[in-house]
PDB file of all heavy atoms in Angstrom:
ATOM      1  N   ALA W   4       0.921  -9.291  -2.166  1.00 96.00           N
ATOM      2  CA  ALA W   4       2.119  -8.598  -2.664  1.00 96.00           C
ATOM      3  C   ALA W   4       3.074  -9.578  -3.325  1.00 96.00           C
ATOM      4  O   ALA W   4       3.634  -9.281  -4.390  1.00 96.00           O
ATOM      5  CB  ALA W   4       2.815  -7.857  -1.523  1.00 96.00           C
ATOM      6  N   GLY W   5       3.256 -10.743  -2.724  1.00 96.00           N
ATOM      7  CA  GLY W   5       4.123 -11.747  -3.329  1.00 96.00           C
ATOM      8  C   GLY W   5       3.614 -12.190  -4.690  1.00 96.00           C
ATOM      9  O   GLY W   5       4.382 -12.320  -5.646  1.00 96.00           O
ATOM     10  N   ASP W   6       2.323 -12.394  -4.787  1.00 97.00           N
ATOM     11  CA  ASP W   6       1.707 -12.780  -6.053  1.00 97.00           C
ATOM     12  C   ASP W   6       1.875 -11.671  -7.093  1.00 97.00           C
ATOM     13  O   ASP W   6       2.219 -11.932  -8.252  1.00 97.00           O
ATOM     14  CB  ASP W   6       0.232 -13.106  -5.839  1.00 97.00           C
ATOM     15  CG  ASP W   6      -0.428 -13.648  -7.083  1.00 97.00           C
ATOM     16  OD1 ASP W   6       0.168 -14.529  -7.745  1.00 97.00           O
ATOM     17  OD2 ASP W   6      -1.556 -13.205  -7.400  1.00 97.00           O
ATOM     18  N   MET W   7       1.636 -10.433  -6.687  1.00 96.00           N
ATOM     19  CA  MET W   7       1.788  -9.300  -7.611  1.00 96.00           C
ATOM     20  C   MET W   7       3.234  -9.182  -8.094  1.00 96.00           C
ATOM     21  O   MET W   7       3.476  -8.947  -9.280  1.00 96.00           O
ATOM     22  CB  MET W   7       1.373  -7.999  -6.921  1.00 96.00           C
ATOM     23  CG  MET W   7      -0.094  -7.908  -6.579  1.00 96.00           C
ATOM     24  SD  MET W   7      -1.178  -7.839  -8.002  1.00 96.00           S
ATOM     25  CE  MET W   7      -0.659  -6.329  -8.758  1.00 96.00           C
ATOM     26  N   ARG W   8       4.175  -9.357  -7.201  1.00 96.00           N
ATOM     27  CA  ARG W   8       5.589  -9.234  -7.581  1.00 96.00           C
ATOM     28  C   ARG W   8       6.008 -10.341  -8.545  1.00 96.00           C
ATOM     29  O   ARG W   8       6.827 -10.109  -9.434  1.00 96.00           O
ATOM     30  CB  ARG W   8       6.463  -9.232  -6.334  1.00 96.00           C
ATOM     31  CG  ARG W   8       6.331  -7.940  -5.541  1.00 96.00           C
ATOM     32  CD  ARG W   8       7.090  -7.992  -4.232  1.00 96.00           C
ATOM     33  NE  ARG W   8       6.977  -6.717  -3.527  1.00 96.00           N
ATOM     34  CZ  ARG W   8       6.806  -6.604  -2.226  1.00 96.00           C
ATOM     35  NH1 ARG W   8       6.756  -7.685  -1.456  1.00 96.00           N
ATOM     36  NH2 ARG W   8       6.699  -5.423  -1.670  1.00 96.00           N
ATOM     37  N   ARG W   9       5.466 -11.536  -8.366  1.00 97.00           N
ATOM     38  CA  ARG W   9       5.778 -12.635  -9.296  1.00 97.00           C
ATOM     39  C   ARG W   9       5.146 -12.409 -10.664  1.00 97.00           C
ATOM     40  O   ARG W   9       5.774 -12.629 -11.696  1.00 97.00           O
ATOM     41  CB  ARG W   9       5.294 -13.972  -8.738  1.00 97.00           C
ATOM     42  CG  ARG W   9       6.176 -14.572  -7.654  1.00 97.00           C
ATOM     43  CD  ARG W   9       5.753 -15.980  -7.262  1.00 97.00           C
ATOM     44  NE  ARG W   9       4.428 -16.020  -6.662  1.00 97.00           N
ATOM     45  CZ  ARG W   9       4.152 -15.701  -5.388  1.00 97.00           C
ATOM     46  NH1 ARG W   9       5.127 -15.302  -4.597  1.00 97.00           N
ATOM     47  NH2 ARG W   9       2.921 -15.768  -4.926  1.00 97.00           N
ATOM     48  N   ARG W  10       3.913 -11.982 -10.663  1.00 98.00           N
ATOM     49  CA  ARG W  10       3.181 -11.830 -11.919  1.00 98.00           C
ATOM     50  C   ARG W  10       3.546 -10.558 -12.673  1.00 98.00           C
ATOM     51  O   ARG W  10       3.487 -10.525 -13.901  1.00 98.00           O
ATOM     52  CB  ARG W  10       1.684 -11.849 -11.644  1.00 98.00           C
ATOM     53  CG  ARG W  10       1.224 -13.203 -11.116  1.00 98.00           C
ATOM     54  CD  ARG W  10      -0.215 -13.197 -10.717  1.00 98.00           C
ATOM     55  NE  ARG W  10      -1.027 -13.249 -11.924  1.00 98.00           N
ATOM     56  CZ  ARG W  10      -2.346 -13.118 -11.916  1.00 98.00           C
ATOM     57  NH1 ARG W  10      -2.983 -12.917 -10.786  1.00 98.00           N
ATOM     58  NH2 ARG W  10      -3.026 -13.187 -13.037  1.00 98.00           N
ATOM     59  N   PHE W  11       3.896  -9.515 -11.948  1.00 97.00           N
ATOM     60  CA  PHE W  11       4.184  -8.214 -12.555  1.00 97.00           C
ATOM     61  C   PHE W  11       5.487  -7.656 -11.969  1.00 97.00           C
ATOM     62  O   PHE W  11       5.486  -6.659 -11.237  1.00 97.00           O
ATOM     63  CB  PHE W  11       3.030  -7.246 -12.304  1.00 97.00           C
ATOM     64  CG  PHE W  11       1.694  -7.775 -12.729  1.00 97.00           C
ATOM     65  CD1 PHE W  11       0.806  -8.287 -11.782  1.00 97.00           C
ATOM     66  CD2 PHE W  11       1.336  -7.800 -14.069  1.00 97.00           C
ATOM     67  CE1 PHE W  11      -0.429  -8.787 -12.170  1.00 97.00           C
ATOM     68  CE2 PHE W  11       0.105  -8.298 -14.464  1.00 97.00           C
ATOM     69  CZ  PHE W  11      -0.782  -8.803 -13.517  1.00 97.00           C
ATOM     70  N   PRO W  12       6.613  -8.286 -12.294  1.00 97.00           N
ATOM     71  CA  PRO W  12       7.883  -7.920 -11.647  1.00 97.00           C
ATOM     72  C   PRO W  12       8.344  -6.487 -11.915  1.00 97.00           C
ATOM     73  O   PRO W  12       9.154  -5.955 -11.161  1.00 97.00           O
ATOM     74  CB  PRO W  12       8.880  -8.937 -12.205  1.00 97.00           C
ATOM     75  CG  PRO W  12       8.261  -9.447 -13.463  1.00 97.00           C
ATOM     76  CD  PRO W  12       6.779  -9.351 -13.279  1.00 97.00           C
ATOM     77  N   ASP W  13       7.829  -5.837 -12.946  1.00 98.00           N
ATOM     78  CA  ASP W  13       8.261  -4.478 -13.268  1.00 98.00           C
ATOM     79  C   ASP W  13       7.464  -3.405 -12.524  1.00 98.00           C
ATOM     80  O   ASP W  13       7.775  -2.218 -12.621  1.00 98.00           O
ATOM     81  CB  ASP W  13       8.151  -4.230 -14.774  1.00 98.00           C
ATOM     82  CG  ASP W  13       9.110  -5.120 -15.560  1.00 98.00           C
ATOM     83  OD1 ASP W  13      10.156  -5.519 -14.998  1.00 98.00           O
ATOM     84  OD2 ASP W  13       8.804  -5.426 -16.724  1.00 98.00           O
ATOM     85  N   ILE W  14       6.434  -3.824 -11.782  1.00 96.00           N
ATOM     86  CA  ILE W  14       5.617  -2.860 -11.045  1.00 96.00           C
ATOM     87  C   ILE W  14       6.030  -2.882  -9.573  1.00 96.00           C
ATOM     88  O   ILE W  14       5.916  -3.913  -8.913  1.00 96.00           O
ATOM     89  CB  ILE W  14       4.115  -3.190 -11.175  1.00 96.00           C
ATOM     90  CG1 ILE W  14       3.679  -3.090 -12.639  1.00 96.00           C
ATOM     91  CG2 ILE W  14       3.285  -2.257 -10.287  1.00 96.00           C
ATOM     92  CD1 ILE W  14       2.247  -3.506 -12.885  1.00 96.00           C
ATOM     93  N   PRO W  15       6.530  -1.775  -9.076  1.00 97.00           N
ATOM     94  CA  PRO W  15       6.906  -1.740  -7.655  1.00 97.00           C
ATOM     95  C   PRO W  15       5.662  -1.871  -6.768  1.00 97.00           C
ATOM     96  O   PRO W  15       4.624  -1.279  -7.057  1.00 97.00           O
ATOM     97  CB  PRO W  15       7.571  -0.383  -7.471  1.00 97.00           C
ATOM     98  CG  PRO W  15       7.366   0.378  -8.716  1.00 97.00           C
ATOM     99  CD  PRO W  15       6.797  -0.527  -9.759  1.00 97.00           C
ATOM    100  N   VAL W  16       5.800  -2.655  -5.704  1.00 97.00           N
ATOM    101  CA  VAL W  16       4.689  -2.894  -4.786  1.00 97.00           C
ATOM    102  C   VAL W  16       5.128  -2.495  -3.381  1.00 97.00           C
ATOM    103  O   VAL W  16       6.141  -2.981  -2.880  1.00 97.00           O
ATOM    104  CB  VAL W  16       4.252  -4.376  -4.799  1.00 97.00           C
ATOM    105  CG1 VAL W  16       3.163  -4.629  -3.776  1.00 97.00           C
ATOM    106  CG2 VAL W  16       3.793  -4.781  -6.196  1.00 97.00           C
ATOM    107  N   ASP W  17       4.372  -1.599  -2.775  1.00 97.00           N
ATOM    108  CA  ASP W  17       4.592  -1.217  -1.382  1.00 97.00           C
ATOM    109  C   ASP W  17       3.459  -1.788  -0.542  1.00 97.00           C
ATOM    110  O   ASP W  17       2.307  -1.790  -0.968  1.00 97.00           O
ATOM    111  CB  ASP W  17       4.601   0.305  -1.227  1.00 97.00           C
ATOM    112  CG  ASP W  17       5.829   0.948  -1.822  1.00 97.00           C
ATOM    113  OD1 ASP W  17       6.919   0.703  -1.272  1.00 97.00           O
ATOM    114  OD2 ASP W  17       5.702   1.675  -2.818  1.00 97.00           O
ATOM    115  N   ILE W  18       3.793  -2.247   0.660  1.00 97.00           N
ATOM    116  CA  ILE W  18       2.801  -2.757   1.601  1.00 97.00           C
ATOM    117  C   ILE W  18       2.683  -1.777   2.757  1.00 97.00           C
ATOM    118  O   ILE W  18       3.691  -1.349   3.321  1.00 97.00           O
ATOM    119  CB  ILE W  18       3.206  -4.134   2.152  1.00 97.00           C
ATOM    120  CG1 ILE W  18       3.272  -5.171   1.032  1.00 97.00           C
ATOM    121  CG2 ILE W  18       2.229  -4.585   3.233  1.00 97.00           C
ATOM    122  CD1 ILE W  18       3.820  -6.517   1.499  1.00 97.00           C
ATOM    123  N   VAL W  19       1.439  -1.456   3.107  1.00 97.00           N
ATOM    124  CA  VAL W  19       1.178  -0.612   4.273  1.00 97.00           C
ATOM    125  C   VAL W  19       0.195  -1.359   5.165  1.00 97.00           C
ATOM    126  O   VAL W  19      -0.860  -1.787   4.705  1.00 97.00           O
ATOM    127  CB  VAL W  19       0.567   0.745   3.863  1.00 97.00           C
ATOM    128  CG1 VAL W  19       0.203   1.557   5.095  1.00 97.00           C
ATOM    129  CG2 VAL W  19       1.524   1.508   2.962  1.00 97.00           C
ATOM    130  N   ILE W  20       0.569  -1.528   6.418  1.00 97.00           N
ATOM    131  CA  ILE W  20      -0.332  -2.127   7.402  1.00 97.00           C
ATOM    132  C   ILE W  20      -0.943  -0.973   8.199  1.00 97.00           C
ATOM    133  O   ILE W  20      -0.233  -0.244   8.903  1.00 97.00           O
ATOM    134  CB  ILE W  20       0.409  -3.103   8.340  1.00 97.00           C
ATOM    135  CG1 ILE W  20       1.145  -4.184   7.529  1.00 97.00           C
ATOM    136  CG2 ILE W  20      -0.567  -3.722   9.344  1.00 97.00           C
ATOM    137  CD1 ILE W  20       0.262  -5.021   6.630  1.00 97.00           C
ATOM    138  N   ALA W  21      -2.256  -0.799   8.024  1.00 97.00           N
ATOM    139  CA  ALA W  21      -2.953   0.294   8.702  1.00 97.00           C
ATOM    140  C   ALA W  21      -4.448   0.024   8.658  1.00 97.00           C
ATOM    141  O   ALA W  21      -4.918  -0.801   7.874  1.00 97.00           O
ATOM    142  CB  ALA W  21      -2.641   1.627   8.025  1.00 97.00           C
ATOM    143  N   SER W  22      -5.166   0.743   9.484  1.00 95.00           N
ATOM    144  CA  SER W  22      -6.619   0.625   9.526  1.00 95.00           C
ATOM    145  C   SER W  22      -7.257   1.834   8.864  1.00 95.00           C
ATOM    146  O   SER W  22      -6.884   2.980   9.158  1.00 95.00           O
ATOM    147  CB  SER W  22      -7.106   0.524  10.969  1.00 95.00           C
ATOM    148  OG  SER W  22      -8.522   0.586  11.006  1.00 95.00           O
ATOM    149  N   ILE W  23      -8.251   1.573   8.019  1.00 94.00           N
ATOM    150  CA  ILE W  23      -8.991   2.672   7.407  1.00 94.00           C
ATOM    151  C   ILE W  23      -9.785   3.439   8.449  1.00 94.00           C
ATOM    152  O   ILE W  23     -10.217   4.558   8.206  1.00 94.00           O
ATOM    153  CB  ILE W  23      -9.915   2.179   6.281  1.00 94.00           C
ATOM    154  CG1 ILE W  23     -10.984   1.231   6.818  1.00 94.00           C
ATOM    155  CG2 ILE W  23      -9.099   1.553   5.172  1.00 94.00           C
ATOM    156  CD1 ILE W  23     -12.081   0.904   5.826  1.00 94.00           C
ATOM    157  N   ARG W  24      -9.944   2.851   9.614  1.00 94.00           N
ATOM    158  CA  ARG W  24     -10.670   3.504  10.705  1.00 94.00           C
ATOM    159  C   ARG W  24      -9.851   4.638  11.324  1.00 94.00           C
ATOM    160  O   ARG W  24     -10.397   5.492  12.004  1.00 94.00           O
ATOM    161  CB  ARG W  24     -10.991   2.474  11.777  1.00 94.00           C
ATOM    162  CG  ARG W  24     -11.841   1.355  11.231  1.00 94.00           C
ATOM    163  CD  ARG W  24     -11.769   0.153  12.103  1.00 94.00           C
ATOM    164  NE  ARG W  24     -12.548   0.365  13.313  1.00 94.00           N
ATOM    165  CZ  ARG W  24     -13.088  -0.598  14.010  1.00 94.00           C
ATOM    166  NH1 ARG W  24     -12.934  -1.846  13.644  1.00 94.00           N
ATOM    167  NH2 ARG W  24     -13.790  -0.327  15.073  1.00 94.00           N
ATOM    168  N   ASP W  25      -8.567   4.620  11.088  1.00 97.00           N
ATOM    169  CA  ASP W  25      -7.644   5.598  11.656  1.00 97.00           C
ATOM    170  C   ASP W  25      -7.408   6.716  10.632  1.00 97.00           C
ATOM    171  O   ASP W  25      -6.596   6.591   9.723  1.00 97.00           O
ATOM    172  CB  ASP W  25      -6.332   4.891  12.014  1.00 97.00           C
ATOM    173  CG  ASP W  25      -5.319   5.800  12.668  1.00 97.00           C
ATOM    174  OD1 ASP W  25      -5.427   7.042  12.545  1.00 97.00           O
ATOM    175  OD2 ASP W  25      -4.383   5.256  13.289  1.00 97.00           O
ATOM    176  N   ARG W  26      -8.138   7.794  10.792  1.00 97.00           N
ATOM    177  CA  ARG W  26      -8.070   8.901   9.828  1.00 97.00           C
ATOM    178  C   ARG W  26      -6.652   9.458   9.695  1.00 97.00           C
ATOM    179  O   ARG W  26      -6.204   9.765   8.596  1.00 97.00           O
ATOM    180  CB  ARG W  26      -9.045   9.994  10.256  1.00 97.00           C
ATOM    181  CG  ARG W  26      -9.103  11.170   9.312  1.00 97.00           C
ATOM    182  CD  ARG W  26     -10.149  12.188   9.770  1.00 97.00           C
ATOM    183  NE  ARG W  26     -10.032  13.436   9.061  1.00 97.00           N
ATOM    184  CZ  ARG W  26     -10.454  13.651   7.834  1.00 97.00           C
ATOM    185  NH1 ARG W  26     -11.022  12.689   7.153  1.00 97.00           N
ATOM    186  NH2 ARG W  26     -10.306  14.820   7.267  1.00 97.00           N
ATOM    187  N   ASN W  27      -5.945   9.591  10.809  1.00 98.00           N
ATOM    188  CA  ASN W  27      -4.577  10.112  10.746  1.00 98.00           C
ATOM    189  C   ASN W  27      -3.664   9.196   9.951  1.00 98.00           C
ATOM    190  O   ASN W  27      -2.826   9.665   9.171  1.00 98.00           O
ATOM    191  CB  ASN W  27      -4.027  10.326  12.152  1.00 98.00           C
ATOM    192  CG  ASN W  27      -4.717  11.459  12.884  1.00 98.00           C
ATOM    193  OD1 ASN W  27      -5.234  12.388  12.269  1.00 98.00           O
ATOM    194  ND2 ASN W  27      -4.756  11.374  14.196  1.00 98.00           N
ATOM    195  N   ALA W  28      -3.817   7.893  10.131  1.00 98.00           N
ATOM    196  CA  ALA W  28      -3.007   6.942   9.364  1.00 98.00           C
ATOM    197  C   ALA W  28      -3.319   7.058   7.878  1.00 98.00           C
ATOM    198  O   ALA W  28      -2.407   7.025   7.040  1.00 98.00           O
ATOM    199  CB  ALA W  28      -3.251   5.515   9.845  1.00 98.00           C
ATOM    200  N   MET W  29      -4.595   7.213   7.540  1.00 98.00           N
ATOM    201  CA  MET W  29      -4.970   7.356   6.123  1.00 98.00           C
ATOM    202  C   MET W  29      -4.377   8.635   5.540  1.00 98.00           C
ATOM    203  O   MET W  29      -3.882   8.641   4.415  1.00 98.00           O
ATOM    204  CB  MET W  29      -6.488   7.351   5.957  1.00 98.00           C
ATOM    205  CG  MET W  29      -7.157   6.015   6.242  1.00 98.00           C
ATOM    206  SD  MET W  29      -6.537   4.653   5.227  1.00 98.00           S
ATOM    207  CE  MET W  29      -5.293   3.953   6.325  1.00 98.00           C
ATOM    208  N   GLU W  30      -4.390   9.682   6.314  1.00 98.00           N
ATOM    209  CA  GLU W  30      -3.809  10.935   5.827  1.00 98.00           C
ATOM    210  C   GLU W  30      -2.306  10.774   5.574  1.00 98.00           C
ATOM    211  O   GLU W  30      -1.783  11.249   4.564  1.00 98.00           O
ATOM    212  CB  GLU W  30      -4.083  12.075   6.806  1.00 98.00           C
ATOM    213  CG  GLU W  30      -3.650  13.410   6.259  1.00 98.00           C
ATOM    214  CD  GLU W  30      -4.362  14.569   6.913  1.00 98.00           C
ATOM    215  OE1 GLU W  30      -4.955  14.396   7.993  1.00 98.00           O
ATOM    216  OE2 GLU W  30      -4.311  15.669   6.328  1.00 98.00           O
ATOM    217  N   GLU W  31      -1.617  10.098   6.470  1.00 98.00           N
ATOM    218  CA  GLU W  31      -0.177   9.853   6.274  1.00 98.00           C
ATOM    219  C   GLU W  31       0.080   9.023   5.022  1.00 98.00           C
ATOM    220  O   GLU W  31       1.002   9.318   4.249  1.00 98.00           O
ATOM    221  CB  GLU W  31       0.397   9.135   7.492  1.00 98.00           C
ATOM    222  CG  GLU W  31       0.481  10.002   8.725  1.00 98.00           C
ATOM    223  CD  GLU W  31       0.903   9.222   9.961  1.00 98.00           C
ATOM    224  OE1 GLU W  31       1.362   8.069   9.832  1.00 98.00           O
ATOM    225  OE2 GLU W  31       0.767   9.771  11.071  1.00 98.00           O
ATOM    226  N   VAL W  32      -0.716   7.999   4.811  1.00 98.00           N
ATOM    227  CA  VAL W  32      -0.534   7.131   3.634  1.00 98.00           C
ATOM    228  C   VAL W  32      -0.788   7.918   2.352  1.00 98.00           C
ATOM    229  O   VAL W  32       0.002   7.851   1.398  1.00 98.00           O
ATOM    230  CB  VAL W  32      -1.460   5.898   3.715  1.00 98.00           C
ATOM    231  CG1 VAL W  32      -1.478   5.135   2.397  1.00 98.00           C
ATOM    232  CG2 VAL W  32      -1.031   4.988   4.852  1.00 98.00           C
ATOM    233  N   PHE W  33      -1.878   8.668   2.303  1.00 98.00           N
ATOM    234  CA  PHE W  33      -2.191   9.437   1.095  1.00 98.00           C
ATOM    235  C   PHE W  33      -1.161  10.537   0.855  1.00 98.00           C
ATOM    236  O   PHE W  33      -0.797  10.798  -0.291  1.00 98.00           O
ATOM    237  CB  PHE W  33      -3.601  10.012   1.173  1.00 98.00           C
ATOM    238  CG  PHE W  33      -4.662   9.048   0.713  1.00 98.00           C
ATOM    239  CD1 PHE W  33      -5.103   8.043   1.547  1.00 98.00           C
ATOM    240  CD2 PHE W  33      -5.210   9.148  -0.554  1.00 98.00           C
ATOM    241  CE1 PHE W  33      -6.075   7.143   1.131  1.00 98.00           C
ATOM    242  CE2 PHE W  33      -6.183   8.267  -0.993  1.00 98.00           C
ATOM    243  CZ  PHE W  33      -6.625   7.260  -0.143  1.00 98.00           C
ATOM    244  N   ALA W  34      -0.678  11.164   1.908  1.00 98.00           N
ATOM    245  CA  ALA W  34       0.350  12.196   1.747  1.00 98.00           C
ATOM    246  C   ALA W  34       1.648  11.592   1.211  1.00 98.00           C
ATOM    247  O   ALA W  34       2.323  12.201   0.383  1.00 98.00           O
ATOM    248  CB  ALA W  34       0.595  12.901   3.076  1.00 98.00           C
ATOM    249  N   ARG W  35       1.968  10.409   1.660  1.00 98.00           N
ATOM    250  CA  ARG W  35       3.214   9.763   1.234  1.00 98.00           C
ATOM    251  C   ARG W  35       3.142   9.255  -0.204  1.00 98.00           C
ATOM    252  O   ARG W  35       4.067   9.459  -0.986  1.00 98.00           O
ATOM    253  CB  ARG W  35       3.533   8.597   2.166  1.00 98.00           C
ATOM    254  CG  ARG W  35       4.765   7.826   1.766  1.00 98.00           C
ATOM    255  CD  ARG W  35       5.076   6.708   2.732  1.00 98.00           C
ATOM    256  NE  ARG W  35       6.174   5.896   2.231  1.00 98.00           N
ATOM    257  CZ  ARG W  35       6.468   4.706   2.686  1.00 98.00           C
ATOM    258  NH1 ARG W  35       5.762   4.172   3.671  1.00 98.00           N
ATOM    259  NH2 ARG W  35       7.467   4.015   2.177  1.00 98.00           N
ATOM    260  N   PHE W  36       2.047   8.596  -0.565  1.00 98.00           N
ATOM    261  CA  PHE W  36       1.986   7.916  -1.860  1.00 98.00           C
ATOM    262  C   PHE W  36       1.224   8.677  -2.941  1.00 98.00           C
ATOM    263  O   PHE W  36       1.412   8.403  -4.123  1.00 98.00           O
ATOM    264  CB  PHE W  36       1.378   6.517  -1.693  1.00 98.00           C
ATOM    265  CG  PHE W  36       2.259   5.586  -0.926  1.00 98.00           C
ATOM    266  CD1 PHE W  36       1.991   5.285   0.404  1.00 98.00           C
ATOM    267  CD2 PHE W  36       3.383   5.015  -1.515  1.00 98.00           C
ATOM    268  CE1 PHE W  36       2.803   4.427   1.121  1.00 98.00           C
ATOM    269  CE2 PHE W  36       4.202   4.147  -0.802  1.00 98.00           C
ATOM    270  CZ  PHE W  36       3.915   3.859   0.517  1.00 98.00           C
TER     271      PHE W  36
END
């Protein structure tokens, strides 16, 4: 994310810490973004 923000400052970057193994977490992430 730090590298992306330096190289592409006009593109907003969000970080999500989650496991793809957790279906409910994936559903929350996809619903949000």
Side-chain angles (χ1 to χ4, degrees):
D6 186 45
M7 294 294 297
R8 288 174 178 140
R9 282 187 296 281
R10 295 175 76 187
F11 307 101
D13 295 333
I14 297 175
V16 176
D17 289 293
I18 297 174
V19 175
I20 305 301
S22 172
I23 63 169
R24 300 161 75 154
D25 182 341
R26 182 177 168 77
N27 291 333
M29 291 303 95
E30 187 158 17
E31 289 173 13
V32 169
F33 275 79
R35 177 178 173 196
F36 292 103

